[in-house]
Amino acid sequence: MSLTTPSPREFLAAAPSGTRVVVRYRVDGGFTDALGDLLECGEGECTVRTRSADVVIALELVVAAKQVPPAPPRRRARTGG
């Protein structure tokens, strides 16, 4: 029995909605990452809800993807004193 690691595209297609992921993908001049909750993954693209926006990523541009732990709780703002 051989275990193979799924491709990034296979991982994203199989991951349930709401899974916290990091997705590395190609952009002009290099690569960038989207870190957040996977909203959906279709035939040609996936959507990741990051802290600032929903990011739609063409699957042909994805070079890596994996599940990551939940975000740490946000710290409360300090008050002067």
Side-chain angles (χ1 to χ4, degrees):
M1 175 166 98
S2 67
L3 297 176
T4 59
T5 303
S7 71
R9 188 178 197 146
E10 291 168 336
F11 164 75
L12 291 168
S17 179
T19 302
R20 187 164 166 83
V21 297
V22 61
V23 179
R24 176 157 291 178
Y25 59 101
R26 290 187 296 277
V27 294
D28 288 340
F31 299 92
T32 192
D33 296 327
L35 171 65
D37 296 324
L38 180 66
L39 294 183
E40 62 183 344
C41 185
E43 282 292 314
E45 62 189 25
C46 67
T47 305
V48 177
R49 176 161 288 159
T50 69
R51 188 178 287 173
S52 59
D54 289 355
V55 180
V56 178
I57 305 163
L59 292 176
E60 65 190 24
L61 301 178
V62 173
V63 295
K66 67 179 182 178
Q67 184 171 355
V68 294
R74 295 187 90 167
R75 289 199 225 178
R76 292 191 327 198
R78 288 194 205 191
T79 56

